[in-house]
Amino acid sequence: MQNSGPDDISSTEEQEKWLADALALVQHHAFYMHRALDSCNLRDALKYSAQMLGELRTSKLSPQKYYELYMKTFDELRMLEVFFKEETKRGCTTAHLYELVQHAGNILPRLYLLCTVGSVYIKSKDAPAKEVLKDLVEMCRGIQNPIRGLFLRSYLSQISKDKLPDAASEFEGEGGTVVDAVEFVLQNFTEMNKLWVRMQHQGPAREKEKREKERSELRDLVGKNLHLLSQLEGVDLDLYRDMVLPRVLEQVVNCKDELAQYYLMDCIIQVFPDEYHLQTLDTLLGACPQLQPTVDVKTILSQLMERLSNYAASTPQVLADFLQVEAFSKLSEAVVKVIEVQPDMPLVGAVSLHVALLTFTLRVHVDRLDYVDQVLGACVKKLEGVGKVKDNKATKQIIALLTAPLEKYNNIVTVLSLTNYPKVMEHLDYGTNKVMAVVIIQNIMKNGTFIMEADKVEALCELLKEIIQDSDGSPALDELDEEDFMEEQNLVARLVQMLTNDDNSEMFKILQTVRKYFLKGGPKRLGYTLPSLVFSALKLVRLLQQQDESSGEDGVTFPQKVFQFLLQTVEALSVVPAPELALRLYLQCAEAANNCDLEPIAYEFFTQAFVLYEEEIADSKAQVTAIHLIIGTLQRMHVFGVENRDTLTHKATGYSAKLLKKPDQCRAVYACSHLFWVVDGRVQDGERVLLCLKRALRIANAAQQMASVTKGSGGTLTLFVEILNKYLYYFEHGNQHITNSVIQGLIELIVTEMQSDNTTQDPMVDSFFASTLRYIRFQKQKGDGVAERYASIEL
């Protein structure tokens, strides 16, 4: 197979066949070589080993198949090396062997044999290691075929790596110094890289992609030289800075090959110590803008910054070195310069560079917010003129950029101090901006971060404006997913509870700021967001109530300002419209004003509640709920004078009697009886209580008559039992107008109605009435004066 065929690569089947033939020939020659070795026949050993090595001259195999052939011959050469060592013990000098193998007929077998003997020559120390190494590396220039040359030099590197005149090695001194070792490796590296780069120019242009794949398979042969350099004990920082790095970078830049430049820069970053990178940042970063425009410099810089940040995280004592060498400034300048010299770099590449730089900054200089803001500012500058980013990959990188400081500091207040943070966020489209806003709120809730200054709250609202108000680019709310919308607005509502300050004036400013943004949210949002704002303001009212009256100059007026704020806020719900919600909030505010003894304000809130009831609440079920809420709240009020209370009570009673359904009327009217029997809050007008109950009884009777005409009166009979229970309540609480005879008459009325033929039996009513009678019997059996009061009631 020697020198057979053109330099082309055929099909996989042919490759397998050629490889099998070559391996068979290697095995054949190796067999005779072994016989010669066993018989100590040097001449035959050289003859058959040269024939075996001649198979490496083939040009038909792909790099992958050639590697298999190479490994087979490599194993055989190790045995040949042992034989050469034995020969020296039998009296043959290494110098003679070194000269003898140079008589081999073909150059490739000759050089493999020369390297093998050279290894023994260095080991014997019959000649300085540096001289033999220099001779070998120069002699290997004789092979200029890329694949053959790469594997030959890889063999040279492999057999010599433990025989270099490194510091503290047995070959140092007369054999040379570490500088000689470095020179040898660098020279071998340079020649291998040239061969590797030259591969791209061999063969037709249509097979370029195939050749690049083959080159990629061979990259480790070149990279091993850099790994070898990093393993040399004598390569300290000074030698690395003055000799190793400049020479390697010179070769990287000058080769002008995309694949080689990217791979070798990656090798430099990965194999040499982090400390060396830190101290030689200028040199290393200076090479990046000189690389080919198509080289993925962003990944190279990202990997460098990741290594340096990991180094700082694992070794905190080196942080001073980072400051001393001004690592951040140099990396920032490098990022800017690389982006400038590569105007065609995609936006995602530029943003990802800033993400890497920000990650480095947050790990190494976490306390330097000015550095963090500087990185964000540089990204803003790159995004100028872009508008809303539409590229999905770039958008993901921007989200990573915004999320990094949020996750690192876990404090939105710290992030809000970054002036460029909102400027970056402005470049996100509506949907992504909303996602980022949700992430910010979730971060606040998760970490329990309180925002305690009005200006910070305003900055936060600016960040979150896409989910708290309508914007020009936002779709119509009807087009949004209802479930997602509810979830977002509930998050916003929860956020209000994290906006707080112990200083009442500052807290009021915070509430005003939030309302300013919430009111721009449109009718659909207000129903979710304003209630939480109302309750936050009510919390402030309670705090003001607990304070000493002399604690502030405006101790009287300040609560009034807050109530005015509350009144305006609840009024805003009228545009939703959400009358039932607004009514509940008016009643909450009225109760708060009652606790603060502010009668006019409490009356105003009740007035607004009644106006809503009259004008906005039309649904009968909603009216029933609303009137019971009004009655319950009014019953707890103690701040009203006689006139105001009578007015409101009259209104409540009147609305109760006007409900659509008789049962609802009845229940609302007897509930109004409590408005005349407050006890602790005075009133206790027993006569009007009795009038309410009698009126309820008349309504119940009318309801029964209507029911008997339609479907039977069993369902309405429960009203009588409910009214009986009300009578018993007031009877026990000492209402003198509720007498035994009244209760007795009501019991008899219920019994008569239940036995009537027109009454439909209802087990629930029967059970309810039976329970009421059991209660009366229980009271009759009690001691004290209770039993006496119940004694005259007959069951």
Side-chain angles (χ1 to χ4, degrees), residues 218-398:
L218 295 174
R219 65 184 185 274
D220 287 347
L221 297 179
V222 183
K224 284 179 180 178
N225 289 283
L226 299 182
H227 184 263
L228 180 57
L229 281 171
S230 69
Q231 299 299 309
L232 294 176
E233 294 290 338
V235 177
D236 56 13
L237 177 59
D238 291 334
L239 186 58
Y240 175 78
R241 179 174 48 219
D242 299 337
M243 182 178 180
V244 175
L245 185 60
R247 291 274 296 277
V248 173
L249 289 178
E250 179 185 9
Q251 179 59 32
V252 171
V253 172
N254 290 340
C255 74
K256 299 186 183 302
D257 175 64
E258 177 188 351
L259 178 61
Q261 288 183 338
Y262 176 79
Y263 172 70
L264 294 176
M265 288 297 288
D266 181 58
C267 279
I268 293 170
I269 293 169
Q270 300 301 330
V271 302
F272 290 106
D274 300 320
E275 178 191 357
Y276 290 10
H277 294 324
L278 183 61
Q279 298 299 330
T280 57
L281 267 180
D282 286 332
T283 307
L284 189 55
L285 294 175
C288 290
Q290 301 178 56
L291 302 179
Q292 295 297 101
T294 53
V295 175
D296 187 7
V297 182
K298 70 178 187 300
T299 304
I300 294 171
L301 283 176
S302 298
Q303 289 174 343
L304 175 61
M305 288 185 274
E306 183 180 3
R307 279 211 63 171
L308 290 175
S309 59
N310 289 337
Y311 176 49
S314 62
T315 319
Q317 58 268 29
V318 302
L319 291 176
D321 295 336
F322 278 84
L323 293 171
Q324 183 180 1
V325 302
E326 299 180 341
F328 172 77
S329 299
K330 292 174 181 177
L331 288 168
S332 297
E333 292 172 6
V335 168
V336 172
K337 195 166 185 179
V338 165
I339 293 174
E340 286 178 354
V341 299
Q342 294 193 8
D344 296 331
M345 179 185 288
L347 183 61
V348 61
V351 178
S352 63
L353 271 175
H354 288 105
V355 172
L357 180 59
L358 183 61
T359 304
F360 166 83
T361 307
L362 290 172
R363 296 188 71 177
V364 180
H365 304 293
V366 66
D367 56 331
R368 294 295 300 268
L369 289 177
D370 55 328
Y371 284 178
V372 176
D373 206 31
Q374 185 178 328
V375 177
L376 294 173
C379 188
V380 170
K381 187 175 180 181
K382 177 63 183 176
L383 293 171
E384 282 179 0
V386 175
K388 300 293 184 183
V389 177
K390 302 189 183 303
D391 178 50
N392 290 336
K393 292 182 179 179
T395 298
K396 288 180 181 179
Q397 289 300 317
I398 293 175

Side-chain angles (χ1 to χ4, degrees), residues 715-736:
T716 57
L717 195 58
T718 187
L719 295 173
F720 290 97
V721 183
E722 291 172 12
I723 294 170
L724 172 61
N725 277 270
K726 286 295 176 186
Y727 271 97
L728 292 173
Y729 170 81
Y730 291 116
F731 180 68
E732 284 190 9
H733 284 78
N735 188 336
Q736 300 300 323

Side-chain angles (χ1 to χ4, degrees), residues 616-637:
E616 302 292 341
I617 301 179
D619 180 72
S620 60
K621 289 183 179 179
Q623 286 181 337
V624 172
T625 303
I627 199 63
H628 280 282
L629 286 171
I630 290 172
I631 294 168
T633 306
L634 184 56
Q635 191 266 339
R636 293 191 294 273
M637 305 294 285

